[in-house]
Amino acid sequence: MRILVLGPGVCFTMKIMVSLFLLVLMPVCSVVIASESEQSAIAGQEVTLYRDDWGVPHLYADSEEVGYYGLGYAQAEDRLEQILGMLVVLQGRRSELQGDSHLQLDMEIRRWRHLEEGVAGFERMSPQLQKNYGYYVSGIKRFMADNPNSVPVWSPEFGPASFVSLSRMILWLGYHMVDGPAECEKAGVVLDRQAPGTSDATPERASNGWVVMPARTLHGETIVGSDPHVGLQSPAYYEYRIDAGALKSSGFSLGPMLWQAHNSHVAWAMTTGNPDMWDCYEVVVDSNNPRRFMYDGHWQNMELREEIFRATDGSERKHVFEYTRHNGLLSPVVARKGDRAYVVSASQMHDAGVLDEEIYRMNLATSVAEVKTAMAGLGMFPQNIIVGDNKGNALYVRAGKVPRRPEGFDWTAPVPGNNSKTAWLGYHSFDDLVQVENPEQAYLQNNNIAPDRMFARNNIDARSYPKYLFNDEPGRITTRGIRAIQVLSQSEKFGLEDAFALSFDEQWVTADAWLDALVFSVDNYPNLLDGVSADARTLINGLQVFDGVARADSVTALQFFFWRQGMGDILTQPEFATLRKFPWHQDNFTSTFAAALFERAEHAAGQMTARFGGIDIQLGKLFQMGRGSQSWPVGGETIKASTDLDCMANINPLCDRTFRAFESRTENEAGVRMAFRGSQSMRVVVLGETVQSYSLHSYGQSNLKTSPHWDDQIRLASEHHLKPTYFNRKDLDGHITSTKTLSIYGDFLQ
């Protein structure tokens, strides 16, 4: 038996079966073999792989490609089965190995042609980046050759283009493959698949990103913070440090793409938030031939592609995918209803490799201005990008490739697709995108909020941009956005310790409103407390002076959680409709509401007594983090009403997500709720005359249970510590736990 990690937070156990050998028969991409002269020139070059005290690889080489060779080798040492497992998912063969429940995801992956687009994307990348990716693959294969017993029998064929396809697939699963088809659903159609975004494998969209400029920092430096909130076992974040030729980068990579990173000059953060990059077209088809439709008076035939999916028992089933060519792009049919076909045009359908090139150029940039130049190709996946440099500059941009659309149509829903009146009119340039550079407030933050809520005051005006560029509800803000503004707008001497404190901040922002309502009710409806039990009275008294911080060692925090969780569900009842949105007014704090507050306190006390034997229990006794036999207490737990799972998009009384954004599953056998999503790969970067950077990967560097770095960083997460990245070579001295020098030879050069 083996464990094959296939996706964000997903693994499965499987028997080694003969059918798995079919995987090696399918070429995943083209392979670029180094010429004899190149192999001769590179022979004898070396990359030195140092491991620090947290197992993070530090790669030193004289050229970029040799550094990437070391990166591939290091990743294979730590996560070979995870890498190979993701490549299997890329092939759309998960149902073949795990069963029919995964067929829909397999179909979606093949529908969007990630494999083919990755091959084309690799060909459009610059020669140096092609070489880097090729050497990265060579490093993986070198490890596999050196350690044949570590290679599973189901290992697929792969080459450098595979990893262009892979990053495309992973990022499209969260954006293009969800949001484009979602526009079709507004016509009342049933999609020809289960949305990948609804699966447990795909994290909810939440991340933190902020930058503080020198005018607000203690020592006149630029400080950048980044914290993706994803599944804690997401395969998309591998920590590294590379110093190879002109490339000096540190951060988290997705395969060979150094996507969440910094160098000596610039650092950036990424959070979900984007312009509208896709459209759904409603196409009236020929009633006699549903794969034919009229376009501008001429018949057009859909392009067809037959795919074969194998079941675990070896049986086969066929599926035909249908495409139109709206906007000159291969546009898949995602639904049908009567004589209508619904197709999605995604602006980046044929742009694979452009993102890889942009990220590469960002890693070589020496200023915010050069980052903007790197991003001018519009390859960035849908994101809020927050950048700072060591010259004191800062930039926010709502990034993506955005079509210019004709006026007169609702582009958030299906538009007519039988003529060119709805055809795109080209694309907006990078300069057209929503962006803010060097703001007077001397900070930037976007924690999944609308671009007009980044500051306490003097924000941009949403009306200054086309709706599809702004692509958000004006004024929308999350609890994390509010907390960032509270901290950053009030700090005039923001230092490293402040950056650490903000990164680990566990304030429930909505707690003040709830506790004010409780205090008001106690003062104005004391008679309703007459029948309250002693435990409930103790709980109510404690809550009235609670500071609202979800600390792991706080007793009142757990009491608040149980009480507040129950009240979130109460608010979904019709009689409390006026209290489902902020701001609250005391006129709405009726005796009925007060009675509910007290009753939920009684209920919370009863729940805690039944579960723990009392109410004096620390939050961290219930909420913990771990992936083995040992776990550690964590704070910062998310509160959300069980009947309203969408309440995180905008601040409201139903939910509260702290800066750490942890979410936990139902109790395990020991009665502990284990975190499975939230703060996963945190970074703080200080850019000045020198660089200081710190990081935290919530579990550990290695995916091998036998490694000391399987879960050693959970303690850091529990105790609110970031570890130094040792970005400068001299800082690494004294922290090297192993050294490996790899001499390059030609057998595995790609």
Side-chain angles (χ1 to χ4, degrees):
M1 306 286 281
R2 288 187 182 271
I3 300 296
L4 170 61
V5 177
L6 285 183
V10 178
C11 64
F12 69 86
T13 305
M14 67 178 186
K15 294 181 179 179
I16 303 301
M17 300 180 297
V18 173
S19 62
L20 300 187
F21 286 101
L22 294 170
L23 291 174
V24 303
L25 301 179
M26 178 180 176
V28 180
C29 57
S30 60
V31 178
V32 180
I33 305 298
S35 65
E36 290 185 9
S37 60
E38 183 178 347
Q39 291 186 28
S40 175
I42 208 75
Q45 287 198 31
E46 296 178 341
V47 54
T48 301
L49 194 169
Y50 301 107
R51 296 276 184 175
D52 67 20
D53 27 25
W54 299 98
V56 177
H58 297 250
L59 306 156
Y60 285 84
D62 291 334
S63 65
E64 290 180 19
E65 59 268 26
V66 175
Y68 272 80
Y69 186 95
L71 179 64
Y73 192 97
Q75 284 191 16
E77 276 191 321
D78 291 328
R79 302 184 179 188
L80 179 62
E81 287 204 10
Q82 186 181 65
I83 294 168
L84 299 177
M86 289 190 294
L87 294 172
V88 170
V89 175
L90 174 64
Q91 293 179 337
R93 290 179 170 276
R94 192 172 177 184
S95 57
E96 180 178 332
L97 306 181
Q98 290 184 270
D100 287 352
S101 62
H102 302 284
L103 178 60
Q104 291 295 330
L105 181 59
D106 284 346
M107 291 174 64
E108 281 309 292
I109 287 171
R110 295 203 206 175
R111 184 194 308 278
W112 292 93
R113 298 194 176 187
H114 298 299
L115 284 171
E116 295 88 339
E117 292 298 330
V119 171
F122 180 77
E123 295 301 326
R124 67 172 59 95
M125 286 168 17
S126 63
Q128 182 61 56
L129 190 55
Q130 286 184 348
K131 185 183 296 185
N132 293 349
Y133 276 35
Y135 276 76
Y136 165 83
V137 168
S138 297
I140 295 175
K141 293 189 175 181
R142 167 74 176 274
F143 175 83
M144 294 168 69
D146 290 349
N147 301 271
N149 292 335
S150 298
V151 182
V153 297
W154 45 261
S155 175
E157 288 289 336
F158 60 93
S162 304
F163 291 90
V164 181
S165 300
L166 181 62
S167 59
R168 183 185 196 267
M169 178 197 74
I170 289 176
L171 298 174
W172 277 55
L173 277 169
Y175 299 96
H176 307 71
M177 293 165 62
V178 175
D179 291 346
E183 291 187 2
C184 298
E185 288 183 296
K186 294 183 179 180
V189 300
V190 177
L191 295 176
D192 184 30
R193 54 91 165 130
Q194 174 188 354
T198 66
S199 73
D200 188 52
T202 304
E204 290 184 8
R205 299 174 177 183
S207 297
N208 296 337
W210 49 269
V211 58
V212 186
M213 298 165 64
R216 279 190 180 271
T217 59
L218 183 62
H219 300 296
E221 300 151 320
T222 301
I223 304 179
V224 180
S226 172
D227 189 5
H229 297 155
V230 297
L232 297 184
Q233 298 205 70
S234 169
Y237 301 86
Y238 178 82
E239 190 167 7
Y240 70 92
R241 164 80 177 98
I242 187 168
D243 188 322
L247 182 66
K248 305 181 191 308
S249 174
S250 177
F252 295 92
S253 74
L254 171 49
M257 188 169 71
L258 314 180
W259 70 313
Q260 309 251 358
H262 75 89
N263 59 29
S264 301
H265 308 280
V266 299
W268 60 87
M270 298 175 170
T271 73
T272 293
N274 53 275
D276 187 354
M277 300 168 57
W278 33 74
D279 283 312
C280 177
Y281 287 92
E282 182 183 74
V283 180
V284 179
V285 299
D286 183 354
S287 58
N288 295 316
N289 180 0
R291 288 172 172 165
R292 189 172 79 148
F293 62 98
M294 189 74 72
Y295 191 84
D296 281 348
H298 300 282
W299 286 112
Q300 303 284 334
N301 291 314
M302 293 182 182
E303 298 181 29
L304 307 179
R305 174 175 176 145
E306 183 179 274
E307 288 280 355
I308 296 175
F309 297 87
R310 294 185 178 89
T312 53
D313 62 5
S315 61
E316 296 181 350
R317 73 208 80 182
K318 297 179 181 179
H319 186 86
V320 177
F321 294 107
E322 305 165 330
Y323 304 87
T324 66
R325 282 281 175 179
H326 281 79
N327 303 306
L329 304 171
L330 199 64
S331 304
V333 176
V334 299
R336 283 185 177 271
K337 184 179 181 181
D339 64 347
R340 312 295 168 98
Y342 293 84
V343 305
V344 174
S345 275
S347 64
Q348 294 178 328
M349 181 67 185
H350 305 301
D351 288 356
V354 180
L355 172 63
D356 301 73
E357 191 72 38
E358 288 189 7
I359 294 291
Y360 170 62
R361 298 296 173 188
M362 289 169 67
N363 274 276
L364 296 174
T366 64
S367 65
V368 162
E370 289 187 9
V371 170
K372 291 172 66 175
T373 299
M375 293 178 63
L378 304 176
M380 184 59 63
F381 72 108
Q383 284 290 279
N384 297 303
I385 306 294
I386 302 99
V387 191
D389 69 22
N390 62 350
K391 301 175 181 65
N393 300 300
L395 171 72
Y396 161 80
V397 59
R398 199 168 181 81
K401 184 178 182 180
V402 190
R404 293 182 179 274
R405 296 167 167 101
E407 296 181 356
F409 299 94
D410 177 7
W411 292 98
T412 66
V415 296
N418 288 92
N419 59 62
S420 56
K421 292 181 180 179
T422 54
W424 295 342
L425 307 174
Y427 298 97
H428 285 274
S429 69
F430 179 86
D431 291 339
D432 291 341
L433 300 178
V434 180
Q435 54 192 285
V436 176
E437 189 169 3
N438 293 337
E440 61 180 355
Q441 294 88 344
Y443 71 87
L444 282 165
Q445 65 84 26
N446 194 296
N447 300 278
N448 312 110
I449 62 175
D452 62 345
R453 290 300 304 272
M454 291 193 290
F455 310 110
R457 59 187 63 85
N458 297 332
N459 281 284
I460 64 172
D461 188 343
R463 295 170 297 182
S464 301
Y465 298 90
K467 288 185 178 180
Y468 57 78
L469 276 177
F470 191 84
N471 198 34
D472 212 327
E473 175 189 344
R476 184 187 63 79
I477 193 167
T478 62
T479 52
R480 291 168 296 108
I482 286 180
R483 185 60 179 157
I485 290 173
Q486 288 175 348
V487 173
L488 298 177
S489 67
Q490 297 172 17
S491 179
E492 298 296 333
K493 296 293 182 181
F494 193 84
L496 184 58
E497 293 303 317
D498 300 300
F500 292 163
L502 178 58
S503 298
F504 289 108
D505 192 275
E506 295 172 339
Q507 182 75 43
W508 280 316
V509 169
T510 63
D512 285 348
W514 278 100
L515 299 178
D516 287 347
L518 180 63
V519 170
F520 178 90
S521 298
V522 169
D523 291 343
N524 289 275
Y525 304 104
N527 58 306
L528 297 179
L529 289 168
D530 291 344
V532 171
S533 69
D535 276 350
R537 177 84 65 163
T538 298
L539 190 149
I540 290 170
N541 290 340
L543 290 180
Q544 291 181 80
V545 294
F546 178 45
D547 61 6
V549 181
R551 290 188 302 272
D553 62 356
S554 170
V555 168
T556 314
L558 188 58
Q559 295 172 351
F560 179 83
F561 179 88
F562 274 91
W563 173 72
R564 172 68 181 72
Q565 184 89 11
M567 282 308 304
D569 292 336
I570 288 289
L571 287 195
T572 63
Q573 299 176 8
E575 59 265 40
F576 300 118
T578 57
L579 292 169
R580 289 180 198 151
K581 292 185 178 181
F582 289 129
W584 277 356
H585 302 286
Q586 291 184 348
D587 293 344
N588 300 122
F589 296 165
T590 63
S591 60
T592 303
F593 182 53
L597 293 172
F598 302 154
E599 187 277 328
R600 286 291 94 180
E602 189 76 71
H603 183 71
Q607 280 186 305
M608 296 182 70
T609 299
R611 183 170 298 179
F612 308 113
I615 65 170
D616 295 328
I617 308 298
Q618 295 180 348
L619 184 75
K621 293 293 185 180
L622 179 59
F623 297 108
Q624 299 189 9
M625 181 189 294
R627 64 172 176 177
S629 59
Q630 189 174 4
S631 61
W632 286 259
V634 291
E637 179 66 19
T638 292
I639 301 174
K640 61 182 181 182
S642 60
T643 53
D644 188 358
L645 299 183
D646 259 349
C647 55
M648 297 300 174
N650 199 354
I651 183 171
N652 66 67
L654 292 167
C655 301
D656 202 318
R657 179 176 261 152
T658 73
F659 229 62
R660 303 190 76 186
F662 284 127
E663 292 186 52
S664 303
R665 297 190 188 279
T666 306
E667 297 92 76
N668 61 16
E669 294 179 357
V672 174
R673 296 186 186 180
M674 302 300 292
F676 71 96
R677 176 181 292 149
S679 177
Q680 198 255 12
S681 45
M682 188 186 298
R683 289 182 298 130
V684 169
V685 184
V686 181
L687 298 168
E689 292 184 5
T690 60
V691 179
Q692 303 175 65
S693 59
Y694 304 83
S695 65
L696 172 62
H697 195 285
S698 290
Y699 284 144
Q701 183 69 20
S702 175
N703 262 22
L704 301 174
K705 291 183 179 180
T706 56
S707 169
H709 306 299
W710 159 258
D711 61 2
D712 58 333
Q713 293 187 53
I714 302 178
R715 177 176 58 82
L716 298 182
S718 175
E719 297 175 357
H720 295 195
H721 294 305
L722 287 159
K723 66 185 192 301
T725 67
Y726 311 123
F727 182 80
N728 302 301
R729 177 62 183 84
K730 61 181 178 60
D731 297 331
L732 184 60
D733 290 337
H735 300 281
I736 298 172
T737 60
S738 70
T739 302
K740 181 175 292 185
T741 300
L742 299 172
S743 296
I744 310 302
Y745 53 89
D747 291 358
F748 301 100
L749 290 184
Q750 303 294 307

